[in-house]
């Protein structure tokens, strides 16, 4: 049988805007593929094999952090009096904003909760989101899943394998935290172990919700970068919601899964039902992810790609111009994130002042009279930390471009490696300066408006800008790692950001010696406006940061270009 | 009819946003045969194969694979199918050998003997991590995984684009074995000689539409044979014969094209004129293919955009 379509019989290449629909009228009728879960067992094995190190690391980070603080506090707080003191000191807006306050702050478990629960919860949530992306959207984007899907693998098998493994990870972490809590004697003598189990469940629940979030954003975004960015924004959004809730009347706390975990109130009310709420939300998010996955094309997100321009402006020929174009999305995203956070921080400052007023003299005394300035310094520090995340993301892009091989095309042109790297680093350097200035100014503007003092804008802009040398050190470290340890650079850079975050939140409990605090960039920065200005550390840090970046670039200019 | 067709596609449409990639494509690949699938870059070959794999949902038209629906029955059908993508991406930290095992076990029992044979034939070191492989070697991983299986249907999307000529020969040998075992192959390619040597049938597409399909003999039958001969005299008389086209003489060489059905009569006439040399060549697949792309070729030659 031979069919031949004569070219002459097709005058003008008929181009129908609408194709004939042979399936009409049921064309849009949804036909789910059968055996969507075939190959699930093999996929689970594959997922564990590929992620064993990562799974272990996240487990150890969360459980280890908790166990460390629990042990340390067990040694430090040996009397009820000391626990009462700690509870009183903790009951201030800064702690409430940053970590939340335990339901039973004057128990040993409560003290540990205040110190570390939020940190564990946020770390777990981010870790789970990143792991979902790595095993879902990232592989699909790179075309690796396609080979597997050509075999007997159901369309949901890989996703459900990831869900199974990561749900197990969340539950295992919850279980391990509960066991650690019991073993380290956090439960009050006559209260049984209920509090420890509620605590473990609250962390596991947060992990499950993060799993749902990761699964859904992995269906919406068509790139792994997009999925991770969207997922992080949701996690940070949950954190900010409960932060505002905790500072205000508590209503917004209930809008955040972190808040639900908090409201399980271990050693206080010991509520179980918010855990049910978290499981329910997880189920809804996973169901949504399932439904989208069943309907969409492999490799596609929810939005089709649009056609772009046929010509590039001349500025794209420079590494900086191209990088600005390629990082346009993240740049806009970070600007929005910082602007929104700064405005939120500034506007909640009023509620905080009210809180301080209510507390009267005793609170002011506890805070050594610095009160609101201390809090503002802390908020400026948080803006700086967000800025550092941006700077590191932008700086690690050097390694990302090298690993993917994209850089080879640029370096094959008349462009030295040094020039390439330097121009790329203009973005984190100048970008963080701008973000700090804008963030600090908005914080000051918001706060100044509530107390009718316009000088706050410049004052807090200065406070935030004082962190620029610290941000430079972190970004410089990322560049040095890129030069000397390319394969580990991205993981270690983010590890450094995580460590800084940890020191900022739980620094004192880590028992770091003074010299260590003095050399860590964020703690070395004077906390304006509460502390007085000190130029020495800023100058030193700027030199160190630029030196690290320079060393990294010099090394990159001399070593092999290494693909992933 | 369906039972004898490993792949059957009718009027297939698929759009990506505003890009209308497939515009009513037809394709049939009979069981036990090698079907060549030809089309220039961007004409829709990969899209078609990904619809057949159940990775993309068609917008309209019908597609059946081994008698089943590629979208709803994907998993069941994939038991009997092996796929080699044109652009192979692997997990950088797994070795080639591990990857092959993972892929093979996902659709049937692993046969270590066949795996070893194929590794030797394609000269592939299975202990290297995928990140250390070149493009050709990554492609070999996918080829070995596909050829080591006993899948009744092979979907190959430009499987040799990264291979050297020696490996190309190994590939052709393997495909002949596959055919001898009665298995079916859909081979997308733009290497004409490969398709010409391997394929029983050919489907040519253009901008998401089928423009020609049939056996190579069928397709040739509908075209003309090119004849070049050196005659002492009488060349002009040939032009008047039925079925002779485009006759021209240059430096004593007379060239013309002959309709297939007129060939015996014309050759007899040429023989009567006692030619000193004669070359008659059937149209190559390339000629057949290029006939459908005259306009684009013209654009290339004039250096203009199409
Ligand atoms: N995911 C996608 N999104 C948008 N357009 C696509 C996508 N995949 C393929 N196309 C377009 O569909 C057409 C056919 O592509 P493809 O099937 O890959 O061609 P071939 O394999 O024959 O080279 C091309 O115009 C291509 O740009
Ligand atoms: Mg293709």
């Amino acid at each position: 049988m031979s069919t031949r379509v004569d070219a002459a019989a097709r005058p003008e290449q008929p181009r129908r805007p609408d194709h004939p629909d042979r399936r009409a009228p049921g064309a849009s009728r949804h036909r789910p593929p059968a055996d969507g879960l075939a190959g699930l067992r093999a996929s689970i094995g594959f997922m564990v094999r590929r992620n064993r190190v990562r799974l272990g690391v996240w487990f150890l980070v969360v459980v280890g952090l908790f166990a460390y603080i629990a042990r340390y506090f067990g040694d430090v707080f040996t009397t009820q009096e000391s626990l009462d003191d700690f509870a009183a000191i903790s009951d201030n807006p800064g702690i409430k904003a940053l970590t939340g306050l335990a339901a039973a702050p004057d128990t040993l478990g409560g003290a540990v909760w205040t110190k570390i629960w939020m940190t564990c919860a946020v770390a777990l949530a981010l870790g789970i989101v990143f792991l979902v992306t790595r095993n879902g959207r990232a592989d699909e984007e790179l075309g690796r899943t396609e080979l597997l899907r050509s075999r007997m693998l159901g369309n949901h098998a890989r996703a459900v394998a990831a869900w199974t493994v990561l749900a197990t990870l969340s539950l295992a972490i919850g279980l391990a935290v509960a066991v650690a809590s019991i073993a380290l004697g956090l439960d009050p003598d006559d209260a049984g172990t209920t509090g420890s189990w509620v605590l473990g469940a609250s962390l596991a629940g947060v992990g499950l919700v993060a799993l749902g979030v990761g699964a859904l954003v992995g269906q919406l975004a068509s790139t792994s970068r997009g999925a991770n960015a969207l997922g992080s924004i949701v996690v940070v959004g949950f954190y900010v919601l409960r932060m505002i809730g905790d500072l205000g009347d508590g209503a917004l706390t209930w809008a955040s899964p972190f808040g639900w975990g908090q409201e399980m109130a271990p050693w206080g009310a010991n509520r179980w039902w918010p855990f049910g709420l978290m499981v329910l939300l997880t189920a809804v998010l996973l169901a949504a992810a399932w439904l989208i996955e069943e309907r969409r094309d492999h490799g596609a997100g929810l939005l089709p790609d649009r056609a772009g321009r046929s010509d590039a402006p001349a500025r794209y020929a420079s590494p900086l111009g191209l990088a600005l174009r390629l990082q346009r999305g993240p740049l806009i995203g970070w600007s929005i994130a910082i602007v929104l956070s700064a405005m939120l921080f500034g506007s909640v400052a009023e509620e905080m002042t009210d809180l301080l007023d209510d507390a009267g003299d005793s609170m002011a005394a506890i805070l050594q009279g610095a009160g609101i300035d201390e809090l503002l310094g802390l908020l400026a520090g948080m803006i700086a930390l967000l800025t550092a995340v941006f700077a590191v993301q932008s700086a690690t892009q050097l390694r990302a471009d090298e690993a993917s091989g994209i850089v080879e095309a640029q370096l094959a042109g008349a462009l030295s490696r040094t020039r390439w790297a330097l121009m790329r680093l203009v973005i984190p350097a100048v970008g963080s300066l701008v973000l700090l200035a804008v963030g600090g100014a908005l914080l000051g503007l918001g706060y100044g408006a509530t107390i009718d003092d316009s000088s706050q804008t410049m004052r807090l802009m200065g406070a935030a800008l004082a962190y620029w040398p610290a941000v430079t050190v972190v970004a410089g470290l990322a560049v040095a790692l890129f030069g000397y340890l390319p394969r580990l650079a991205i993981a270690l850079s983010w590890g450094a950001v995580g460590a800084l975050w940890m020191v900022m939140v739980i620094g004192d409990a880590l028992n770091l010696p003074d010299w260590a605090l003095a050399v860590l960039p964020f703690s070395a920065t004077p906390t304006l406006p509460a502390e007085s200005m000190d130029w020495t550390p800023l100058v030193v840090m700027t030199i160190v940061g630029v030196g690290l970046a320079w060393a990294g670039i010099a090394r990159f200019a001399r070593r092999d270009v290494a693909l992933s | 009819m369906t039972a004898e067709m490993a792949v059957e596609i009718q009027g297939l449409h698929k759009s990506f946003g505003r890009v209308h990639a497939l515009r009513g494509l037809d394709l049939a690949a009979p069981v036990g045969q090698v079907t060549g699938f030809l089309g220039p870059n961007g004409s829709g070959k990969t899209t078609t194969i990904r619809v057949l794999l159940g990775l993309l949902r068609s917008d309209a038209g019908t597609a059946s694979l081994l008698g089943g629906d590629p979208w709803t029955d994907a998993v069941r059908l994939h038991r009997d199918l092996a796929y080699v993508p044109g652009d192979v991406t692997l997990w950088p930290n797994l070795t080639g050998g591990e990857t092959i095992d993972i892929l093979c076990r996902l659709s049937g029992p692993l046969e270590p003997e066949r795996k070893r044979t194929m590794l030797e034939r394609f000269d592939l070191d299975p202990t290297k991590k995928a990140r250390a492989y070149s493009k050709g070697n990554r492609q070999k991983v996918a080829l070995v995984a596909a050829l080591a299986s006993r899948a009744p249907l092979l979907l190959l999307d430009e499987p040799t684009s990264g291979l050297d000529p020696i490996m190309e020969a190994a590939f052709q040998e393997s495909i002949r074995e596959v055919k001898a075992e009665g298995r079916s192959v859909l081979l997308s390619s733009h290497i004409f000689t490969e398709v010409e040597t391997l394929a029983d049938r050919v489907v040519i597409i253009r901008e998401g539409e089928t423009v020609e399909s049939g056996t190579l003999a069928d397709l040739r039958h509908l075209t003309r044979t090119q004849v070049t001969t050196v005659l002492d005299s009488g060349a002009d008389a040939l032009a008047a014969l039925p079925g002779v086209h485009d006759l021209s003489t240059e430096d004593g060489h007379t060239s013309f094209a002959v309709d297939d059905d007129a060939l015996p009569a014309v050759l007899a006439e040429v023989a009567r004129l006692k030619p000193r040399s004669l070359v008659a060549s059937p149209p190559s697949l390339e000629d057949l293919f290029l006939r459908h792309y005259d306009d684009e070729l013209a654009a290339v030659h004039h250096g203009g955009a199409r």
Side-chain angles (χ1 to χ4, degrees):
Chain A
M1 62 149 248
S2 157
T3 51
R4 176 167 183 237
V5 188
D6 197 329
R10 293 181 292 111
E12 297 296 294
Q13 284 284 317
R15 249 164 237 189
R16 283 154 298 201
D18 251 15
H19 30 78
D21 197 342
R22 306 201 178 170
R23 247 194 269 129
S28 60
R29 192 180 52 216
H30 173 57
R31 307 163 298 150
D35 303 323
L37 288 177
L40 178 61
R41 284 244 313 254
S43 301
I44 290 177
F46 181 62
M47 156 116 195
V48 173
R49 157 76 183 77
R50 255 190 95 215
N51 295 278
R52 50 194 173 192
V53 174
R54 270 160 224 260
L55 293 171
V57 166
W58 283 107
F59 180 88
L60 282 180
V61 163
V62 178
V63 178
L65 198 59
F66 177 82
Y68 175 82
I69 296 288
R71 243 196 103 158
Y72 173 69
F73 272 25
D75 290 346
V76 174
F77 297 121
T78 45
T79 62
Q80 184 56 44
E81 223 174 2
S82 57
L83 284 170
D84 290 343
D85 284 350
F86 182 76
I89 296 174
S90 303
D91 189 6
N92 72 65
I95 294 288
K96 280 186 177 159
L98 215 50
T99 66
L101 185 63
D106 54 353
T107 62
L108 181 56
V112 172
W113 190 102
T114 302
K115 197 78 216 167
I116 201 62
W117 186 88
M118 193 62 69
T119 308
C120 288
V122 174
L124 176 63
L126 288 176
I128 296 265
V129 166
F130 296 155
L131 281 168
V132 177
T133 300
R134 172 180 152 87
N135 288 282
R137 181 50 75 174
D139 271 1
E140 190 170 329
E141 178 190 8
L142 291 170
R144 290 172 189 152
T145 319
E146 180 164 333
L147 258 183
L148 291 178
R149 280 282 305 278
S150 75
R151 303 284 176 154
M152 286 189 62
L153 191 72
N155 56 332
H156 299 304
R158 290 218 64 205
V160 175
W163 302 351
T164 312
V165 172
L166 295 174
T168 309
L169 176 70
S170 298
L171 295 174
I173 286 177
L175 190 71
V177 163
V179 168
S181 165
I182 295 169
L184 293 166
L186 294 196
D187 297 292
D189 289 338
D190 49 357
T193 57
T194 317
S196 291
W197 292 112
V198 170
L199 169 80
S202 66
L203 275 180
V206 166
L208 290 177
V209 172
L211 169 59
V213 169
L216 187 59
V217 297
Q219 297 297 329
L220 298 177
S222 59
T223 64
S224 59
R225 247 168 86 184
N228 274 338
L230 206 57
S232 312
I233 287 173
V234 173
V235 169
V236 171
F238 284 160
Y239 177 84
V240 170
L241 278 179
R242 73 101 218 131
M243 174 173 163
I244 300 171
D246 284 5
L247 288 171
D249 59 3
L252 279 178
T253 304
W254 285 102
S256 157
F258 288 125
W260 302 350
Q262 271 176 286
E263 295 293 341
M264 287 179 71
W267 299 291
N270 278 335
R271 293 189 197 106
W272 280 103
W273 62 264
F275 182 70
L277 214 53
M278 292 194 270
V279 171
L280 195 70
L281 177 60
T282 308
V284 169
L285 292 171
L286 292 182
W290 173 286
L291 291 177
I292 297 176
E293 181 161 74
E294 195 166 78
R295 283 164 171 78
R296 69 179 172 86
D297 287 340
H298 182 78
L302 266 199
L303 299 171
D305 291 338
R306 286 168 301 157
R309 297 196 279 198
S310 65
D311 307 287
R315 65 172 186 278
Y316 289 2
S318 103
L320 175 60
L322 184 62
L324 272 175
R325 165 66 191 84
L326 295 178
Q327 294 181 41
R328 189 170 64 189
L331 275 172
I332 295 174
W334 278 108
S335 306
I336 293 175
I338 294 224
V339 165
L340 285 182
S341 316
M343 288 189 339
L344 279 171
F345 292 167
S347 64
V348 295
E350 184 183 16
E351 295 183 16
M352 294 184 221
T353 26
D354 292 349
L355 262 168
L356 283 173
D357 288 347
D358 294 348
D361 293 345
S362 63
M363 177 61 69
I366 288 167
L367 296 175
Q368 280 124 26
I372 190 70
D373 279 351
E374 197 107 285
L375 186 64
L376 290 169
L378 184 88
L379 293 176
M382 287 184 74
I383 289 174
L385 203 56
L386 278 176
T387 306
V389 174
F390 155 78
V392 167
Q393 194 203 34
S394 185
T396 50
Q397 208 58 43
L398 292 181
R399 171 57 196 159
D401 277 11
E402 182 195 13
S404 68
I406 287 174
V407 70
E408 290 187 356
Q410 270 184 301
L411 292 182
L415 175 68
S416 81
R417 293 194 199 181
T418 313
R419 206 173 113 77
W420 173 78
L422 275 178
M423 295 194 72
R424 292 290 299 259
L425 289 176
V426 169
I427 294 181
V430 176
S432 51
L433 203 62
V434 172
L435 288 179
L436 285 171
V438 171
L442 284 173
L443 177 62
L445 201 65
Y447 173 61
T450 61
I451 62 164
D452 208 9
D453 174 5
S454 59
S455 71
Q456 294 293 339
T457 308
M458 290 309 284
R459 188 165 167 247
L460 289 179
M461 184 162 109
L465 279 175
Y467 280 98
W468 186 78
V471 171
T472 305
V473 171
V474 185
L477 179 67
V479 179
L481 287 167
F482 156 68
Y484 284 89
L485 298 170
R487 285 193 204 291
L488 298 174
I490 292 182
L492 289 182
S493 303
W494 286 116
V497 174
L500 284 176
W501 174 40
M502 210 92 88
V503 169
M504 178 163 161
V505 179
I506 56 161
D508 46 348
L510 289 173
N511 236 356
L512 294 173
D514 286 350
W515 65 262
L517 287 176
V519 299
L520 281 171
F522 276 76
S523 36
T525 305
T527 325
L528 302 174
E531 293 173 17
S532 56
M533 183 61 178
D534 181 0
W535 284 99
T536 320
L538 302 191
V539 172
V540 172
M541 282 195 284
T542 307
I543 293 171
V544 170
V546 171
L548 281 169
W550 186 255
I553 294 173
R555 172 78 189 140
F556 173 61
R558 276 179 280 114
R559 68 169 171 79
D560 289 348
V561 172
L563 298 179
S564 68
Chain B
M1 164 136 171
T2 310
E4 294 105 52
M5 288 296 166
V7 175
E8 198 167 20
I9 293 176
Q10 269 160 11
L12 195 66
H13 284 264
K14 175 71 192 172
S15 300
F16 300 100
R18 293 222 309 268
V19 182
H20 200 159
L22 301 183
R23 310 158 176 267
L25 184 126
D26 301 314
L27 183 154
V31 166
Q33 295 194 5
V34 176
T35 305
F37 188 22
L38 287 168
N41 296 328
S43 57
K45 303 182 295 295
T46 301
T47 305
T48 307
I49 290 179
R50 298 178 90 227
V51 168
L52 288 175
L53 283 167
L55 294 172
L56 302 180
R57 250 153 72 106
S58 60
D59 297 333
T62 59
S64 85
L65 185 79
L66 301 167
D69 180 321
W71 176 261
T72 51
D73 306 332
V75 172
R76 178 173 65 78
L77 296 173
H78 291 188
R79 187 196 310 277
D80 298 329
L81 180 153
Y83 167 56
V84 178
D87 194 2
V88 183
T89 354
L90 305 170
W91 293 268
N93 50 350
L94 298 186
T95 67
E98 282 178 310
T99 309
I100 292 169
D101 288 1
I102 289 167
L103 291 174
C104 285
R105 287 215 180 88
L106 266 175
S107 40
L110 175 70
E111 294 183 51
E113 193 53 34
R114 285 175 79 96
K115 175 185 166 192
R116 232 197 36 234
T117 314
M118 287 303 161
L119 282 174
E120 272 165 24
R121 178 178 295 172
F122 285 97
D123 193 21
L124 180 71
D125 176 357
T127 62
K128 271 198 199 158
K129 298 257 172 166
R131 70 162 71 90
Y133 284 135
S134 64
K135 170 173 164 57
N137 280 335
R138 286 201 307 271
Q139 201 144 31
K140 286 187 206 168
V141 171
L143 269 173
V144 169
L147 292 169
S149 78
R150 292 186 189 274
L153 173 62
L154 272 64
L155 294 181
L156 311 178
D157 190 5
E158 303 190 14
T160 59
S161 54
L163 299 189
D164 60 43
I166 301 173
M167 289 305 130
E168 170 77 41
F171 169 75
Q172 296 196 5
E173 181 191 341
S174 307
I175 294 303
R176 278 189 212 99
E177 283 174 16
V178 165
K179 205 163 104 179
E181 290 165 358
R183 294 149 74 191
S184 325
V185 179
L186 180 65
L187 171 64
S188 121
S189 178
H190 47 224
I191 304 174
F192 297 106
T193 49
E194 179 179 284
V195 174
E196 217 157 12
T197 23
L198 292 176
D200 303 293
R201 297 169 50 83
V202 178
V203 175
I204 299 177
I205 67 167
R206 172 191 168 128
E207 291 178 23
E209 264 183 296
T210 306
V211 289
E212 190 109 44
S213 76
T215 65
L216 265 177
D218 284 339
L219 300 189
R220 287 192 172 128
H221 184 68
L222 294 160
T223 57
R224 297 163 186 170
T225 300
Q226 192 67 29
V227 178
T228 305
T229 178
V230 179
L231 296 173
D232 289 332
S233 62
D236 294 344
L238 291 175
L241 291 175
V244 171
H245 306 270
D246 306 332
L247 185 130
S248 68
T249 302
E250 211 172 294
D251 299 340
H253 292 257
T254 304
S255 316
F256 53 90
V258 189
D259 288 338
D260 260 21
D261 43 4
L263 195 60
V266 173
L267 284 186
E269 182 62 19
V270 172
R272 217 177 48 75
L273 295 171
K274 301 206 164 41
R276 286 200 276 145
S277 87
L278 175 81
V279 181
S281 43
S284 69
L285 187 53
E286 194 165 349
D287 296 330
L288 292 173
F289 181 80
L290 291 178
R291 273 185 347 118
H292 294 286
Y293 291 90
D294 287 344
D295 46 348
E296 283 170 41
L297 271 178
V300 171
H301 288 314
H302 297 133
R306 35 171 165 132

